[in-house]
């Protein structure tokens, strides 16, 4: 071997040897297809990347593997029957999907939810934001190669919250809990008390521990700072929403802008990043979880008594008057909107989901070009996509 | 100091590792299937049919009204009503099939049912060898006694029982009142007829048909 | 924030009265929209984005809607004098009119700079649903339309001119039809499964040879 290729190994000054890079190969582009079955792609998602050495020169996202034409299904179902289907969009935060859909239908049909219902929706919506961010932090660290410890701690806490939600709604992920102008059932004081104990006890401890474990960790800083940078101008133009946008320093939170539901009654802050890199996007999630806990505790404090369902609103056999409505809320991943057109029949004429994960992927290539392949994986992880929502 | 963040992290992992031997708060997993988590009352998986009494066929609360079939979002319910010898539709199902492989456990059938006859089960170990027929549940597999419903969700089952008993009591009272009123009216009519036309035989009042 | 009428008047003043029409929404949401003429649409979009009073820098949602041809029956009543001198007769004539269909692209615009809570909705319509289905792409104005217009192209078949990379996005490249159109016929050659619904079963059966004896049992037969 050494006879035919005498100089393939170069001796380094410290005594080690390195393999020489053949000059005629240098600069050749390597096309690789990452996914669709790859653990780093969070589902069936493919990235067609072109590499120069280890540096990405182009990257085309390919998806649709989970496409089931959710919107067509929505046009053949009654308004009520669509609620369980919305659970299956972003299955890590189903309650906010329910909420966005009933919010749009309430706009379409002119229903007003009751006071108590609004408070409970805020509690449940913020709880599902926490569940989503807990997952994100765990999976992002998994993408970084921190095999399993932070993910396991995150899933342990998520499990406790899912147990609480199972007790309330009967299911762990596909809750099907919100109804037009209300909720399916009322929430007991005992359940709320237990949620409060949990958030102030074990969950607060989890947040502190996760912060101590990760936020100041030198390896995490080295891997995430300065990678996957998204400039605010591009972020706005490309319609990025949610923590990904705020990490770039754009102060835009639909809870504050639209003041939908009763969010203007709560005192909470919108965390903003400065650099728009992966670390900022990670920090947004850690900080938003603390703000969500604050909102939940305030909502529990102010929760009024009263009916949970609007007696005028009906869920079964709903036939809204002809017209259209676009309703949007701030879901954990960004702006989740539903655009509905009614023609007076029991089925929507047009049922459109504005999926935040899908639109946030628009700039994936811009964020990854010039980075190494390993950074592309964590950039994708920090965008936070769920393929159930991207592919619909 | 460089590396202090990493050392802090090791301290956290050590705390969790040691803690997991002493408290369940630090524990992540349980040893399924030897140890099973207790399911909450509201936990739901797939629907089943409730029957009262001992007979799973005569005691079915289902009246084959087909509301659940119409409301079911993935259309996994299939109902054909029983007919008597003359071909008249009876108020019970001859076929009641639920395709568990299609069902998504959304509970809308339970909300839609006006007779409290379909409820959510909480079984989750339903793996079968036959992918098609094995998960297509027929009426006799779906029918489960009310005592089973009490067993899995005592709160709801008691509430349903009380409500049904109350409805039954009200219906009986109403029927009794109606019967009493009818008897009184009949007696009055008979008396009137007797007074007015002693020669003609009084016609018995036609019983009300519904 | 200006009202939609004011925006319409300003667009009409700059691009001509034919460039914009107000489409009212009768529902309780009352989200009215502006129908733009497609030849001026991209310039109007740039105007909406850059105008200091509007600054609609965020195109939140872009989607398609299919409006198939619709037959409208109009009943007109005319009074005809009786030639014999009697009282005038009222004659009803029914005329059938074919309202031509179109494909529509709907864009929901917000302003991140001004933090507008209500959307400004613009709509573009194709000439028909069959051979003239081009619209100008708004991706050069708002990058967020890139994937959404690809999705509209994929599912509705609107061809966006000026789009940088117009390919199918959710369906596979070899797929022929546009599944979100109202007249799309879904395939019925799914894998044979004994679902409880006989009509589905019958349609699926036509695609497969008769199944073996162990699976011929239809759900009609109860055990």
């Amino acid at each position: 071997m050494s006879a035919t290729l005498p100089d393939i190994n170069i001796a380094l000054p410290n005594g080690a040897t390195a393999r020489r890079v053949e000059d005629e190969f240098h600069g050749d582009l390597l096309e690789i297809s990452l996914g669709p079955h790859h653990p780093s792609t969070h589902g069936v998602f493919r990235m067609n990347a072109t590499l120069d050495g280890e540096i990405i020169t182009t990257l085309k996202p390919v998806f649709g593997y989970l496409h089931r034409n959710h919107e067509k299904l929505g046009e053949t179902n009654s308004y009520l029957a669509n609620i369980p289907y919305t659970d299956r969009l972003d299955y890590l935060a189903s309650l906010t999907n329910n909420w966005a859909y009933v919010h749009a239908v309430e706009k379409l049909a002119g229903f007003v939810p009751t006071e108590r219902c609004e408070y409970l929706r805020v509690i449940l919506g913020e709880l599902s934001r926490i569940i989503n961010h807990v997952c994100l932090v765990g999976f992002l660290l998994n993408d970084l190669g921190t095999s399993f410890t932070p993910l396991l701690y995150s899933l342990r806490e998520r499990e406790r919250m899912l147990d609480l939600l199972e007790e309330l709604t009967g299911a762990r992920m596909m809750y099907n809990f919100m109804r037009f102008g209300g909720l399916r059932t009322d929430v007991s004081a005992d359940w709320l008390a237990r949620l409060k104990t949990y958030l102030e006890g074990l969950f607060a401890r989890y947040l502190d521990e996760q912060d101590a474990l990760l936020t100041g960790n030198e390896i995490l800083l080295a891997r995430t700072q300065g990678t996957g940078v998204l400039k605010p101008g591009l972020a706005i133009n490309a319609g990025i929403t949610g923590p990904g946008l705020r990490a770039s320093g754009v102060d835009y939170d639909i809870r504050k802008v639209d003041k939908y539901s009763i969010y203007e009654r709560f005192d909470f802050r919108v965390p903003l990043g400065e650099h728009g890199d992966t670390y900022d996007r990670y920090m947004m999630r850690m900080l938003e979880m603390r703000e969500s806990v604050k909102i939940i505790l305030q909502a529990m404090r102010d929760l009024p008594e009263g009916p949970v369902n609007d007696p005028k609103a009906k869920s079964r056999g709903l036939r809204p008057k002809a017209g259209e409505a676009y309703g949007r809320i701030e879901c954990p991943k960004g702006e989740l909107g539903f655009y509905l057109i009614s023609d007076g029949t029991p089925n929507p004429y047009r049922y459109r989901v504005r999926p935040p994960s899908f639109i946030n992927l628009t700039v994936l290539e811009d964020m990854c070009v010039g980075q190494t392949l390993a950074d592309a994986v964590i950039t994708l992880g920090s965008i936070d996509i769920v393929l159930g929502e991207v592919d619909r | 100091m460089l590396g202090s963040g990493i050392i802090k992290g090791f301290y956290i992992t050590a705390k969790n590792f040691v803690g997991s031997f002493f408290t369940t708060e630090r524990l992540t997993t349980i040893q399924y299937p030897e140890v099973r988590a207790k399911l909450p009352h509201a936990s739901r998986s797939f629907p089943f049919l409730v029957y009262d009494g001992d007979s799973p066929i005569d005691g079915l609360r289902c009246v084959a009204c087909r509301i659940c079939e119409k409301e079911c979002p993935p259309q996994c319910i299939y109902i054909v009503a029983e007919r008597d010898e003359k071909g008249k539709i009876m108020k019970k199902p001859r076929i009641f099939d639920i395709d568990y492989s299609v069902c998504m456990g959304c509970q809308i059938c339970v909300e839609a049912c006006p007779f409290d006859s379909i409820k959510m089960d909480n079984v989750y170990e339903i793996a079968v060898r036959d992918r098609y027929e094995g998960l297509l549940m027929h009426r006799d597999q779906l029918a489960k006694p009310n005592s089973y419903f009490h067993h899995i969700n005592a709160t709801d089952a008691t509430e349903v029982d009380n409500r049904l008993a109350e409805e039954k009591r009200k219906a009986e009272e109403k029927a009794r009142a109606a019967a009493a009123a009818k008897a009184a009216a009949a007696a009055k009519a008979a008396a009137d007829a007797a007074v007015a036309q002693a020669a003609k035989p009084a016609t018995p009042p036609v019983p009300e048909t519904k | 924030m200006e009202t939609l009428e004011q925006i319409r008047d300003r667009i009409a003043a700059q691009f001509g009265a034919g460039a914009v029409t107000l489409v009212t929404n009768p529902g309780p949401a009352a989200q009215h929209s502006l129908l733009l003429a497609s030849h001026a649409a991209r310039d109007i979009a740039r105007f909406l984005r850059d105008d200091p009073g509007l600054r609609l820098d965020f195109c939140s949602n872009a989607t398609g809607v299919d409006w198939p041809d619709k037959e409208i029956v109009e009943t007109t009543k005319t009074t005809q004098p009786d030639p014999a001198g009697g009282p005038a007769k009222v004659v009803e004539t029914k005329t059938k009119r074919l309202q031509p269909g179109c494909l529509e692209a709907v864009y929901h615009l917000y302003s991140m700079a001004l933090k507008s809570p209500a959307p400004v909705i613009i709509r573009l319509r194709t000439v028909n649903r069959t051979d003239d289905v081009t619209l100008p792409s708004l991706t050069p104005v708002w990058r967020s339309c890139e994937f959404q217009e690809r999705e509209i192209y994929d599912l509705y078949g609107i061809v966006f001119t000026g789009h940088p990379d117009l390919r199918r996005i959710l369906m596979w490249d070899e797929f022929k039809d546009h599944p979100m159109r109202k007249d799309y016929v879904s395939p019925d050659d799914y894998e044979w499964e004994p679902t409880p619904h006989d009509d589905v079963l019958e349609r699926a059966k036509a695609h497969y040879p008769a199944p073996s004896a162990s699976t011929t049992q239809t759900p009609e037969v109860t055990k």
Side-chain angles (χ1 to χ4, degrees):
Chain A
M1 184 66 87
S2 58
T4 48
L5 291 167
D7 57 347
I8 194 151
N9 290 327
I10 321 156
L12 295 178
N14 60 3
T17 53
R19 204 178 151 93
R20 174 192 290 263
V21 178
E22 292 298 313
D23 261 338
E24 64 261 38
F25 298 123
H26 192 70
D28 265 9
L29 297 182
L30 176 70
E31 282 181 26
I32 64 159
S33 170
L34 199 68
H37 299 288
H38 191 276
S40 75
T41 55
H42 296 220
V44 274
F45 176 76
R46 195 168 107 209
M47 294 189 277
N48 279 349
T50 317
L51 299 180
D52 179 5
E54 216 185 328
I55 306 295
I56 293 170
T57 54
T58 63
L59 185 139
K60 295 283 175 211
V62 181
F63 40 83
Y65 299 97
L66 217 56
H67 181 54
R68 58 227 184 253
N69 223 335
H70 180 88
E71 295 178 5
K72 189 90 177 176
L73 284 176
E75 287 171 15
T76 57
N77 282 331
S78 69
Y79 284 89
L80 172 66
N82 274 333
I83 298 179
Y85 283 107
T86 61
D87 285 334
R88 274 107 182 135
L89 286 170
D90 170 5
Y91 41 77
L92 293 180
S94 300
L95 282 166
T96 44
N97 300 350
N98 280 185
W99 191 2
Y101 175 63
V102 298
H103 179 67
V105 174
E106 280 158 9
K107 275 193 164 182
L108 184 70
F111 297 150
V112 182
T114 57
E115 275 291 283
R116 184 176 172 82
C117 162
E118 292 277 32
Y119 276 90
L120 292 173
R121 280 186 186 178
V122 167
I123 292 173
L124 294 170
E126 294 303 321
L127 186 61
S128 84
R129 192 183 312 279
I130 292 173
I131 291 175
N132 180 75
H133 287 357
V134 161
C135 283
L136 174 107
V137 170
F139 287 125
L140 178 65
L141 267 294
N142 218 29
D143 288 344
L144 273 163
T146 320
S147 189
F148 236 62
T149 304
L151 176 64
L152 207 58
Y153 296 166
S154 294
L155 290 184
R156 183 183 67 200
E157 298 312 314
R158 172 175 180 253
E159 204 66 5
R160 300 210 162 102
M161 288 181 268
L162 291 189
D163 283 346
L164 280 170
L165 283 174
E166 186 182 14
E167 225 167 281
L168 178 67
T169 68
R172 300 177 68 78
M173 286 167 86
M174 307 299 160
Y175 307 112
N176 181 19
F177 194 60
M178 304 219 179
R179 290 290 179 268
F180 312 132
L183 300 173
R184 201 178 69 213
T185 56
D186 202 349
V187 179
S188 70
D190 171 53
W191 187 86
L192 289 170
R194 268 181 297 143
L195 177 62
K196 188 169 184 220
T197 318
Y198 171 68
L199 288 176
E200 286 175 339
L202 285 183
F203 187 70
R205 189 177 80 184
Y206 159 80
L207 276 181
D208 291 341
E209 285 192 358
Q210 201 78 330
D211 254 343
L213 178 64
L214 303 171
T215 305
N217 186 297
E218 286 84 357
I219 303 172
L220 183 103
L221 295 177
R223 280 298 305 278
T224 55
Q225 285 187 338
T227 59
V229 177
L230 178 62
K231 294 267 177 276
L234 178 65
I236 293 173
N237 194 252
I240 310 300
T241 43
L245 175 74
R246 295 191 284 273
S248 298
V250 183
D251 181 13
Y252 194 77
D253 187 320
I254 298 170
R255 291 176 292 177
K256 292 276 190 193
V257 174
D258 276 16
K259 301 191 176 62
Y260 67 93
S261 190
I262 47 165
Y263 273 110
E264 77 272 16
R265 297 184 199 171
F266 303 118
D267 171 36
F268 68 102
R269 301 197 309 167
V270 178
L272 289 182
E274 210 174 317
H275 306 97
D277 56 6
T278 304
Y279 183 74
D280 277 8
R281 284 191 286 277
Y282 156 77
M283 275 314 288
M284 286 305 102
R285 270 75 182 214
M286 292 302 288
L287 296 170
E288 275 189 11
M289 279 196 270
R290 293 183 188 272
E291 295 301 317
S292 292
V293 172
K294 260 167 52 185
I295 297 174
I296 293 179
L297 295 179
Q298 288 175 49
M300 279 183 187
R301 187 193 62 203
D302 302 340
L303 181 69
E305 289 297 322
V308 77
N309 274 302
D310 179 7
K312 287 199 294 292
K314 65 170 188 174
S315 288
R316 260 180 65 203
L318 176 70
R319 303 164 86 108
K321 272 187 261 170
E324 62 172 58
Y326 179 68
R328 58 173 194 167
I329 69 164
E330 179 79 28
C331 94
K333 296 183 168 61
E335 170 187 336
L336 179 63
F338 280 84
Y339 174 57
L340 300 165
I341 301 181
S342 164
D343 56 353
T345 57
N347 310 332
Y349 182 80
R350 177 78 179 100
Y351 166 88
R352 152 79 177 166
V353 189
R354 189 260 187 221
S357 310
F358 175 74
I359 294 160
N360 289 356
L361 276 177
T362 312
V363 288
L364 180 64
E365 183 173 14
D366 303 62
M367 288 157 80
C368 291
V369 166
Q371 314 266 329
T372 59
L373 187 63
D375 288 343
V377 169
I378 56 168
T379 305
L380 176 71
S382 71
I383 292 177
D384 192 10
I385 59 164
V386 159
L387 269 299
E389 187 177 76
V390 174
D391 292 343
R392 280 163 296 135
Chain B
M1 187 190 87
L2 190 70
S4 61
I6 295 173
I7 292 164
K8 216 156 70 179
F10 280 140
Y11 170 63
I12 299 289
T13 36
K15 212 160 77 175
N16 274 285
F17 172 66
V18 177
S20 68
F21 287 97
F22 298 101
T23 161
T24 49
E25 286 175 6
R26 300 280 186 195
L27 211 56
T28 312
T29 52
I30 58 167
Q31 299 294 327
Y32 177 84
E34 288 83 15
V35 188
R36 279 155 201 262
K38 197 173 170 293
L39 290 175
H41 283 324
S43 177
R44 63 173 200 252
S45 59
F46 297 103
F48 71 100
L49 296 173
V50 187
Y51 67 84
D52 294 314
D54 298 325
S55 164
I57 293 175
D58 298 330
L60 269 190
R61 289 180 187 167
C62 177
V63 299
C65 66
R66 303 179 64 181
I67 291 177
C68 54
E69 187 185 20
K70 220 174 101 220
E71 291 288 333
C72 176
Q75 303 281 298
C76 69
I77 306 178
Y78 182 68
I79 304 171
V80 174
E82 185 81 274
R83 287 169 186 272
D84 61 9
E85 315 84 66
K86 289 178 205 143
K88 198 167 157 269
I89 291 176
M90 291 164 77
K91 282 189 171 179
K92 57 181 180 176
R94 180 166 63 89
I95 298 175
F96 196 116
D97 287 348
I98 296 180
D99 195 341
Y100 273 12
S101 64
V102 174
C103 174
M104 59 186 190
C106 65
Q107 212 184 25
I108 282 180
C109 52
V110 178
E111 286 166 61
C113 183
F115 302 98
D116 287 302
S117 90
I118 191 163
K119 292 289 166 196
M120 294 309 276
D121 209 340
N122 63 4
V123 291
Y124 49 91
E125 290 158 324
I126 58 159
V128 287
R129 286 177 180 224
D130 178 5
R131 181 176 148 201
Y132 301 127
E133 287 291 325
L135 286 171
L136 182 61
M137 295 291 161
H138 301 293
R139 182 189 62 183
D140 303 345
Q141 291 159 287
L142 290 169
K144 288 178 181 172
N146 196 18
S147 54
Y148 176 76
F149 185 34
H150 274 275
H151 171 64
I152 60 171
N153 192 345
T155 343
D156 279 11
T158 317
E159 190 256 308
V160 167
D161 279 359
N162 291 343
R163 184 151 39 82
L164 288 181
E166 179 71 7
E167 273 168 21
K168 202 173 166 195
R169 194 182 58 76
K170 274 191 186 154
E172 270 170 7
E173 240 168 47
K174 213 173 152 193
R176 217 178 297 131
K182 208 156 62 176
K188 191 167 177 285
D192 286 355
V195 170
Q197 285 270 336
K200 276 189 183 174
T203 47
V206 183
E208 255 182 69
T209 47
K210 277 181 189 168
Chain C
M1 192 70 198
E2 295 173 57
T3 63
L4 210 60
E5 283 82 9
Q6 284 170 322
I7 299 173
R8 179 199 54 192
D9 294 342
R10 279 176 58 198
I11 295 174
Q14 199 165 339
F15 297 92
V20 60
T21 328
L22 188 72
V23 180
T24 51
N25 171 7
Q31 291 173 339
H32 309 303
S33 48
L34 295 173
L35 176 66
L36 305 185
S38 49
H39 64 89
R42 199 178 296 158
D43 294 330
I44 298 175
R46 260 203 199 97
F47 162 77
L48 292 173
R49 186 190 64 184
D50 298 335
D51 184 78
L54 295 169
R55 294 182 71 186
L56 298 163
D57 49 6
F58 170 42
C59 176
S60 157
N61 179 36
T63 187
V65 187
D66 183 17
W67 301 101
D69 300 343
K70 206 163 136 192
E71 201 171 66
I72 294 173
V73 180
E74 280 172 341
T75 316
T76 45
K77 285 183 181 175
T78 45
T79 320
Q80 281 184 348
D82 194 357
K89 273 196 295 188
V90 179
V91 182
E92 275 188 15
T93 43
K94 284 190 176 172
T95 45
K96 282 186 183 169
R97 185 165 63 87
L98 198 70
Q99 181 183 301
C102 66
L103 297 167
E104 192 175 55
V106 184
Y107 298 82
H108 287 77
L109 312 177
Y110 287 88
S111 169
M112 276 196 189
L114 304 178
K115 298 214 170 26
S116 56
V120 172
I121 307 167
I122 58 174
R123 321 175 88 91
L124 310 177
R125 283 185 188 160
T126 60
V127 179
N128 57 30
R129 298 174 68 246
T130 46
D131 50 354
D132 198 352
V133 289
T134 53
L135 284 180
S137 165
L138 299 187
T139 306
V141 186
W142 294 289
R143 179 79 191 281
S144 60
C145 301
E146 185 182 339
F147 281 8
Q148 303 192 68
E149 282 181 348
R150 273 178 70 184
E151 189 189 320
I152 301 171
Y153 164 72
D154 189 358
L155 302 181
Y156 282 95
I158 301 179
V159 178
F160 289 95
T161 50
H163 190 284
D165 184 21
L166 196 64
R167 287 179 293 133
R168 284 190 180 273
I169 189 165
L170 294 174
M171 308 301 286
W172 55 103
D173 290 339
E174 297 77 25
F175 189 77
K176 285 281 180 284
D177 210 342
H178 302 290
M180 280 300 284
R181 289 202 185 184
K182 291 278 174 189
D183 50 6
Y184 173 75
V185 183
S186 53
D188 51 6
D189 57 340
Y190 357 84
E191 197 174 344
W192 191 83
E193 285 195 28
T195 69
H197 302 283
D198 284 351
D199 52 334
V200 181
L201 201 64
E202 287 307 315
R203 272 187 285 142
K205 257 185 195 167
H207 293 270
Y208 294 95
S212 62
S214 63
T215 49
T216 43
Q217 187 184 34
T218 59
E220 273 291 350
V221 185
T222 40
K223 283 166 226 162

